[in-house]
Coordinates of all heavy atoms in Angstrom, one line a residue:
R1 N -60.7 13.8 -29.7 CA -59.8 15.0 -29.6 C -59.3 15.4 -31.0 O -58.8 14.5 -31.7 CB -58.6 14.7 -28.7 CG -57.7 15.9 -28.4 CD -56.7 15.6 -27.3 NE -55.9 14.4 -27.6 CZ -55.2 13.8 -26.6 NH1 -55.3 14.1 -25.3 NH2 -54.4 12.8 -26.9
R2 N -59.5 16.6 -31.4 CA -59.1 17.0 -32.7 C -58.0 18.1 -32.6 O -58.0 19.0 -31.8 CB -60.3 17.6 -33.5 CG -61.4 16.6 -33.7 CD -62.5 17.2 -34.6 NE -63.5 16.1 -35.0 CZ -64.0 15.9 -36.2 NH1 -63.7 16.8 -37.1 NH2 -64.8 15.0 -36.4
H3 N -57.0 17.9 -33.6 CA -55.9 18.9 -33.7 C -56.1 19.7 -35.0 O -56.2 19.1 -36.0 CB -54.6 18.1 -33.7 CG -54.4 17.3 -32.4 ND1 -53.5 17.7 -31.4 CD2 -54.9 16.1 -32.1 CE1 -53.5 16.8 -30.5 NE2 -54.3 15.8 -30.8
L4 N -56.1 21.0 -34.8 CA -56.4 21.9 -36.0 C -55.3 23.0 -36.0 O -54.9 23.5 -35.0 CB -57.8 22.5 -36.0 CG -59.0 21.6 -36.0 CD1 -59.4 21.3 -34.5 CD2 -60.1 22.1 -36.8
T5 N -55.0 23.4 -37.2 CA -54.2 24.6 -37.4 C -55.1 25.8 -37.0 O -56.3 25.8 -37.4 CB -53.7 24.7 -38.8 OG1 -52.9 23.6 -39.2 CG2 -52.9 26.0 -39.0
P6 N -54.6 26.7 -36.3 CA -55.5 27.8 -35.9 C -56.2 28.5 -37.1 O -55.6 28.8 -38.1 CB -54.5 28.8 -35.2 CG -53.4 28.0 -34.7 CD -53.3 26.8 -35.7
G7 N -57.5 28.5 -37.0 CA -58.3 29.1 -38.0 C -58.8 28.1 -39.1 O -59.7 28.5 -39.9
A8 N -58.3 26.9 -39.0 CA -58.7 25.9 -40.0 C -60.0 25.2 -39.6 O -60.3 25.1 -38.4 CB -57.6 24.9 -40.3
W9 N -60.7 24.7 -40.6 CA -62.0 24.0 -40.3 C -61.7 22.5 -40.3 O -62.3 21.8 -39.5 CB -63.0 24.2 -41.4 CG -63.5 25.6 -41.4 CD1 -63.2 26.6 -42.3 CD2 -64.5 26.2 -40.5 NE1 -63.9 27.8 -42.0 CE2 -64.7 27.5 -40.9 CE3 -65.1 25.6 -39.4 CZ2 -65.6 28.3 -40.1 CZ3 -66.0 26.5 -38.7 CH2 -66.2 27.8 -39.1
D10 N -60.8 22.0 -41.1 CA -60.5 20.5 -41.1 C -59.4 20.2 -40.2 O -58.3 20.8 -40.2 CB -60.2 20.1 -42.6 CG -61.4 20.3 -43.5 OD1 -62.5 20.1 -43.0 OD2 -61.2 20.6 -44.7
P11 N -59.6 19.1 -39.4 CA -58.5 18.7 -38.5 C -57.3 18.1 -39.2 O -57.5 17.4 -40.2 CB -59.2 17.8 -37.5 CG -60.3 17.2 -38.4 CD -60.8 18.3 -39.3
M12 N -56.1 18.3 -38.6 CA -55.0 17.6 -39.1 C -54.9 16.2 -38.5 O -54.4 15.3 -39.1 CB -53.7 18.3 -38.7 CG -53.5 19.7 -39.2 SD -51.9 20.4 -38.7 CE -52.2 20.4 -36.9
L13 N -55.5 16.0 -37.3 CA -55.4 14.7 -36.6 C -56.6 14.6 -35.8 O -57.1 15.5 -35.1 CB -54.1 14.7 -35.7 CG -53.9 13.5 -34.8 CD1 -53.7 12.2 -35.6 CD2 -52.7 13.7 -33.9
I14 N -57.2 13.4 -35.8 CA -58.4 13.0 -34.9 C -57.9 11.9 -34.0 O -57.4 10.9 -34.5 CB -59.6 12.7 -35.7 CG1 -60.0 13.8 -36.7 CG2 -60.8 12.4 -34.8 CD1 -61.1 13.4 -37.7
E15 N -58.2 12.0 -32.7 CA -57.9 10.9 -31.8 C -59.0 10.5 -30.9 O -59.8 11.4 -30.5 CB -56.7 11.3 -30.9 CG -55.4 11.6 -31.6 CD -54.4 12.2 -30.7 OE1 -54.7 13.0 -29.9 OE2 -53.2 11.8 -30.9
L16 N -59.2 9.2 -30.7 CA -60.1 8.7 -29.7 C -59.3 8.5 -28.4 O -58.3 7.8 -28.4 CB -60.8 7.4 -30.1 CG -61.6 7.5 -31.4 CD1 -62.1 6.1 -31.7 CD2 -62.8 8.5 -31.2
V17 N -59.8 9.2 -27.3 CA -59.0 9.2 -26.0 C -59.8 8.4 -25.0 O -61.0 8.7 -24.7 CB -58.7 10.6 -25.6 CG1 -57.9 10.6 -24.3 CG2 -58.0 11.4 -26.7
Q18 N -59.1 7.5 -24.3 CA -59.8 6.7 -23.3 C -59.4 7.2 -21.9 O -58.3 7.5 -21.6 CB -59.3 5.2 -23.4 CG -59.8 4.3 -22.4 CD -59.2 2.9 -22.6 OE1 -58.0 2.7 -22.7 NE2 -60.1 1.8 -22.6
G19 N -60.4 7.4 -21.1 CA -60.2 8.0 -19.7 C -59.9 6.9 -18.7 O -59.2 7.1 -17.8
A20 N -60.4 5.7 -18.9 CA -60.2 4.6 -18.0 C -59.2 3.6 -18.5 O -58.5 3.9 -19.5 CB -61.5 3.8 -17.7
G21 N -59.0 2.5 -17.8 CA -58.1 1.4 -18.3 C -56.7 1.9 -18.4 O -56.1 2.5 -17.5
L22 N -56.1 1.7 -19.6 CA -54.7 2.1 -19.9 C -54.6 3.4 -20.6 O -53.6 3.8 -21.1 CB -54.0 1.0 -20.7 CG -53.9 -0.3 -19.9 CD1 -53.3 -1.4 -20.9 CD2 -53.0 -0.2 -18.7
A23 N -55.7 4.2 -20.6 CA -55.7 5.6 -21.1 C -55.1 5.6 -22.5 O -54.3 6.4 -22.8 CB -54.9 6.5 -20.2
R24 N -55.6 4.7 -23.4 CA -55.1 4.7 -24.7 C -55.5 5.9 -25.5 O -56.6 6.5 -25.3 CB -55.6 3.4 -25.4 CG -55.0 2.1 -24.8 CD -55.7 0.9 -25.5 NE -55.1 -0.3 -25.0 CZ -55.5 -1.0 -23.9 NH1 -56.4 -0.5 -23.2 NH2 -54.9 -2.1 -23.6
V25 N -54.7 6.2 -26.5 CA -55.0 7.3 -27.5 C -54.9 6.6 -28.9 O -53.9 6.1 -29.2 CB -54.1 8.4 -27.4 CG1 -54.4 9.5 -28.5 CG2 -54.2 9.1 -26.0
V26 N -56.0 6.6 -29.6 CA -56.1 5.9 -30.9 C -56.3 6.9 -32.0 O -57.3 7.7 -32.0 CB -57.3 4.9 -30.9 CG1 -57.3 4.2 -32.3 CG2 -57.1 3.9 -29.8
R27 N -55.3 7.0 -33.0 CA -55.5 7.8 -34.1 C -56.6 7.3 -35.1 O -56.7 6.1 -35.3 CB -54.2 7.9 -34.9 CG -53.1 8.6 -34.1 CD -51.8 8.8 -35.0 NE -52.1 9.7 -36.1 CZ -51.1 10.2 -36.8 NH1 -49.8 9.9 -36.6 NH2 -51.4 11.0 -37.9
T28 N -57.4 8.2 -35.6 CA -58.5 7.7 -36.4 C -58.8 8.7 -37.5 O -58.1 9.7 -37.7 CB -59.8 7.6 -35.5 OG1 -60.9 7.1 -36.3 CG2 -60.2 8.9 -34.9
D29 N -59.8 8.3 -38.4 CA -60.2 9.2 -39.4 C -61.6 9.6 -39.2 O -62.2 9.2 -38.2 CB -60.0 8.5 -40.8 CG -60.8 7.2 -40.9 OD1 -61.7 7.0 -40.1 OD2 -60.4 6.4 -41.8
Q30 N -62.1 10.4 -40.2 CA -63.5 11.0 -40.0 C -64.5 9.9 -39.9 O -65.5 9.9 -39.1 CB -63.8 11.9 -41.2 CG -63.0 13.2 -41.2 CD -63.6 14.3 -40.4 OE1 -64.4 14.0 -39.5 NE2 -63.2 15.5 -40.6
I31 N -64.4 8.8 -40.8 CA -65.4 7.8 -40.8 C -65.4 7.0 -39.5 O -66.5 6.7 -39.0 CB -65.2 6.9 -42.1 CG1 -65.5 7.7 -43.3 CG2 -66.1 5.7 -42.0 CD1 -65.2 6.9 -44.6
L32 N -64.3 6.6 -39.1 CA -64.3 5.8 -37.8 C -64.7 6.6 -36.6 O -65.5 6.2 -35.8 CB -62.9 5.2 -37.6 CG -62.7 4.4 -36.3 CD1 -63.6 3.2 -36.3 CD2 -61.2 4.0 -36.1
A33 N -64.3 7.9 -36.6 CA -64.7 8.7 -35.5 C -66.2 8.9 -35.5 O -66.9 8.9 -34.4 CB -64.0 10.1 -35.6
A34 N -66.8 9.2 -36.7 CA -68.2 9.4 -36.7 C -69.0 8.1 -36.4 O -70.0 8.1 -35.7 CB -68.6 9.8 -38.1
T35 N -68.4 6.9 -36.8 CA -69.1 5.7 -36.5 C -69.0 5.4 -35.0 O -70.1 5.1 -34.4 CB -68.3 4.5 -37.2 OG1 -68.4 4.7 -38.6 CG2 -68.9 3.2 -36.8

């Protein structure tokens, strides 16, 4: 999940979101998200 200012290309915040288990939300950066 990416959060962007409207019209911007680069995200302010990137999150990995889990649908199962405890539905965790993990803040991440570009390298971890791409990995």
Side-chain angles (χ1 to χ4, degrees):
R1 185 165 62 196
R2 294 185 172 223
H3 301 257
L4 301 95
T5 301
W9 290 105
D10 295 324
M12 298 183 298
L13 175 65
I14 305 174
E15 296 173 322
L16 298 177
V17 181
Q18 181 181 46
L22 295 175
R24 292 174 176 85
V25 177
V26 179
R27 294 186 63 169
T28 183
D29 58 20
Q30 292 275 20
I31 292 178
L32 179 60
T35 299

